[in-house]
Amino acid sequence: MSEDVVFKGSRSGLQLIFDETVDFTSILKQLKTKLESAIDFFGKGTIVNVAIDKITKEQETELSILFQRYGLTLKAIDTSLPKVSELKSEEAAVEASKEITIIERTVRGGQEIISNGSVVILGNVNPGAKIIAGGNIDIKGTCRGLVHAGAFGDLTATITADKMLAMQIRIADLIARAPDNLETVDTTECARIKNGNIVIETVNRQEVC
Amino acid sequence: MSEIIVVTSGKGGVGKTTTTANLGVGFAARGKKVVLIDTDTGLRNLDLLLGLENRIMYDLIDVTEGRVPYKKALVRHKRHESLYLLPTSQTKDKSAVNSQQMNSLCNELIKDFDYVIIDCPAGIEQGFQTAISAADTAVVVTIPEISAVRDADKIIGELGRAEKDNIKLIVNRIRPDMVKKGDMLTMDDIDEILSIDCIGQIPDDELVVTSTNRGEPVITNPVSSAGKAYKNIVGRLCGENIPFMEIVPEGFFAKVKKIFKM
Ligand SMILES: Nc1ncnc2c1ncn2[C@@H]1O[C@H](COP(=O)(O)OP(=O)(O)OP(=O)(O)O)[C@@H](O)[C@H]1O
Ligand SMILES: [Mg+2]
């Protein structure tokens, strides 16, 4: 299916972005499928922002009802004039990232986990799977999917995996791509931001958590 | 106790229909009463593989829409008398049957049959959801290629979401020459991603194609290596502990280990 609807982490929170040229009923349908496939994974009460100038009042109501059914809260925000109060300060982002979601299985291709807080995966993150967390991501297994920690701007967020084979790692606004000849390291690795760059270091599990 | 098995894959053309036909003949050869349901509506070809094309009178849609009782639509196999096919329509599309209809049909069938085996269409759309809805066991077929393994991974995720937890893996079309050269995913590579119970490794075998053309599944051919692999799968599905055949000489995986970017 085409991806006309995406959830994206941004400094002001989780953002719903959709293709405005596509018919709104089709958008709703795709959104529903998406929510259904990710539903066990959204932390309850997760706030999703949508740009107010992109939707009509009726559409806002429809979206609100749909979101409510999945335990999410819709917030229409004016993206053209970002009010300071709307933007989460870095401290606020760090605060939100304290709650922890634990997933006790492998996250397979096509599945998404989205959480305002930190995420712990007791299993692998397979190619084509996606983890977006406001806080840290800790994978007690092999990571081959797309992982985004500190998605709302927390620069102190980390990504840890027993085996880090991700094609791409994101922390806050930074992106690191795997080298083309990826070497497998048999120890736990941890990615964090140091001096404005994402660095990956081997770590001792005991030290991490 | 009766069992409902769905054969599925995600990626098309990896051997679902071939597997369905062979499992059907294999169970029937053990004296089990088996019905195969073709749910690949619009593209039916399970009837061809079984050499039954010219005997079809009614189809799955006639049954689910209540035009005929299912017994009228069943086609009995020519040689294996306890094997039946419930063919599908070539003119309707996959939304013509829904999960509820599938469930009630299967509930009827398990009263009369030991095994109900459902051949699933490729993809994860409604046809897939309908095909898996009644199943107790899902057999996921893949081939040793990255794209097929990734699709199998997605399918396993979808099966989990539908609370189908009894999932078995079959790896089809293994080419020993390519595995030896390190040009094909090994069983270890596949297991690392999918990590589900494997019940079969089937070599690529020309006899699969020639037997398809004759309408007689390869499992009945005693000289075919794929046929033997299918016999072993039937045994394993019956709960027997059968060691895997050696497709690639042992020790090879250890020596030639190439890292694939899955
Ligand atoms: N082990 C094998 N060796 C050689 N050829 C094979 C083998 N398994 C399957 N094939 C061939 O691959 C082709 C596709 O097989 P099949 O129709 O069973 O796949 P399918 O998954 O049902 O496809 P579809 O998704 O279109 O329904 C057929 O031509 C079949 O003969
Ligand atoms: Mg088929």
Side-chain angles (χ1 to χ4, degrees):
Chain A
M1 199 198 286
S2 61
E3 283 253 309
D4 297 326
V5 187
V6 289
F7 287 101
K8 209 166 150 253
S10 78
R11 202 162 268 259
S12 50
L14 195 59
Q15 191 99 27
L16 174 74
I17 296 167
F18 59 88
D19 186 342
E20 294 153 72
T21 61
V22 176
D23 177 44
F24 194 71
T25 26
S26 159
I27 294 290
L28 278 179
K29 209 170 143 219
Q30 288 184 44
L31 190 57
K32 197 159 167 271
T33 315
K34 223 178 168 60
L35 287 171
E36 233 141 58
S37 69
I39 187 54
D40 347 328
F41 307 134
F42 276 105
K44 281 271 170 274
T46 299
I47 295 170
V48 182
N49 295 325
V50 64
I52 199 156
D53 54 323
K54 301 260 161 74
I55 49 169
T56 66
K57 234 356 247 161
E58 292 81 56
Q59 290 174 343
E60 189 184 331
T61 318
E62 276 185 86
L63 282 176
S64 283
I65 294 169
L66 180 64
F67 276 26
Q68 237 165 35
R69 218 181 302 150
Y70 293 96
L72 307 178
T73 310
L74 180 81
K75 214 165 114 194
I77 55 162
D78 191 342
T79 44
S80 57
L81 320 153
K83 275 193 234 114
V84 188
S85 62
E86 297 272 23
L87 289 176
K88 271 193 192 150
S89 65
E90 204 168 299
E91 294 94 84
V94 174
E95 194 51 46
S97 70
K98 278 184 185 149
E99 62 190 82
I100 297 176
T101 307
I102 298 174
I103 310 287
E104 291 179 75
R105 61 186 164 89
T106 287
V107 186
R108 298 190 181 269
Q111 297 182 329
E112 280 182 26
I113 292 176
I114 302 177
S115 165
N116 280 331
S118 291
V119 175
V120 177
I121 316 265
L122 308 175
N124 298 338
V125 176
N126 278 354
K130 202 160 148 189
I131 318 283
I132 300 175
N136 301 334
I137 297 172
D138 189 357
I139 299 155
K140 315 256 199 251
T142 305
C143 176
R144 291 186 173 87
L146 194 151
V147 280
H148 189 179
F152 312 135
D154 181 358
L155 299 168
T156 65
T158 61
I159 302 170
T160 310
D162 284 357
K163 216 168 173 187
M164 186 77 87
L165 297 173
M167 288 295 114
Q168 212 185 71
I169 288 173
R170 299 185 189 191
I171 299 178
D173 302 331
L174 297 180
I175 301 179
R177 197 171 60 82
D180 283 331
N181 47 352
L182 193 65
E183 273 177 55
T184 45
V185 183
D186 269 333
T187 53
T188 304
E189 291 182 292
C190 180
R192 65 176 81 238
I193 298 180
K194 262 189 189 164
N195 307 323
N197 285 312
I198 295 180
V199 294
I200 303 179
E201 300 161 328
T202 63
V203 288
N204 192 331
R205 260 282 180 217
Q206 270 94 50
E207 289 168 20
V208 192
C209 5
Chain B
M1 221 201 73
S2 307
E3 192 174 356
I4 304 172
I5 301 173
V6 63
V7 180
T8 176
S9 70
K11 191 179 166 76
V14 300
K16 293 178 293 298
T17 303
T18 305
T19 298
T20 307
N22 280 287
L23 294 184
V25 170
F27 285 124
R30 287 173 169 244
K32 305 287 186 197
K33 207 169 165 202
V34 190
V35 59
L36 309 181
I37 308 179
D38 190 345
T39 66
D40 201 354
T41 304
L43 293 166
R44 66 161 208 230
N45 55 21
L46 189 51
D47 50 332
L48 279 179
L49 266 68
L50 295 162
L52 298 175
E53 191 182 18
N54 57 358
R55 301 183 180 210
I56 295 175
M57 303 287 289
Y58 300 100
D59 60 46
L60 177 66
I61 321 282
D62 292 322
V63 176
T64 53
E65 291 183 352
R67 280 190 290 276
V68 295
Y70 80 79
K71 283 196 172 127
K72 254 194 142 152
L74 292 183
V75 185
R76 189 190 211 142
H77 194 268
K78 285 172 273 187
R79 300 210 303 127
H80 311 281
E81 300 214 320
S82 63
L83 176 63
Y84 293 79
L85 169 70
L86 181 49
T88 192
S89 160
Q90 216 149 20
T91 50
K92 300 273 173 36
D93 68 59
K94 288 174 188 57
S95 57
V97 184
N98 63 37
S99 301
Q100 208 188 343
Q101 291 167 327
M102 195 66 185
N103 274 307
S104 53
L105 171 64
C106 287
N107 280 338
E108 284 295 304
L109 290 169
I110 51 169
K111 292 180 195 153
D112 286 340
F113 290 90
D114 299 313
Y115 287 96
V116 178
I117 308 180
I118 302 162
D119 183 15
C120 184
I124 49 173
E125 282 76 36
Q126 203 221 310
F128 161 79
Q129 300 293 351
T130 302
I132 68 166
S133 59
D136 314 307
T137 302
V139 169
V140 175
V141 183
T142 190
I143 54 173
E145 284 175 20
I146 288 173
S147 63
V149 171
R150 286 201 180 185
D151 285 357
D153 185 51
K154 273 196 184 156
I155 284 293
I156 295 164
E158 285 295 315
L159 287 165
R161 208 148 64 76
E163 284 163 14
K164 306 287 172 193
D165 297 323
N166 190 15
I167 309 174
K168 309 285 182 197
L169 180 71
I170 291 179
V171 181
N172 190 18
R173 310 199 71 161
I174 300 172
R175 289 179 56 183
D177 51 326
M178 285 182 73
V179 177
K180 272 188 222 169
K181 279 189 282 178
D183 290 338
M184 195 171 240
L185 296 177
T186 66
M187 286 308 299
D188 286 352
D189 296 328
I190 295 168
D191 186 52
E192 236 184 271
I193 296 287
L194 301 182
S195 53
I196 56 166
D197 188 21
C198 180
I199 55 158
Q201 300 169 17
I202 304 166
D204 196 83
D205 182 353
E206 276 178 19
L207 291 172
V208 172
V209 184
T210 50
S211 63
T212 299
N213 295 339
R214 284 189 295 111
E216 179 60 54
V218 75
I219 191 166
T220 54
N221 185 335
V223 301
S224 156
S225 54
K228 275 182 217 146
Y230 273 121
K231 271 208 185 97
N232 289 345
I233 292 170
V234 170
R236 290 186 195 109
L237 282 170
C238 289
E240 290 161 24
N241 189 359
I242 302 168
F244 283 91
M245 318 190 287
E246 204 171 275
I247 297 179
V248 182
E250 229 175 295
F252 237 108
F253 296 133
K255 273 179 245 158
V256 196
K257 182 79 191 165
K258 198 166 161 177
I259 298 164
F260 284 87
K261 286 216 195 105
M262 292 289 293

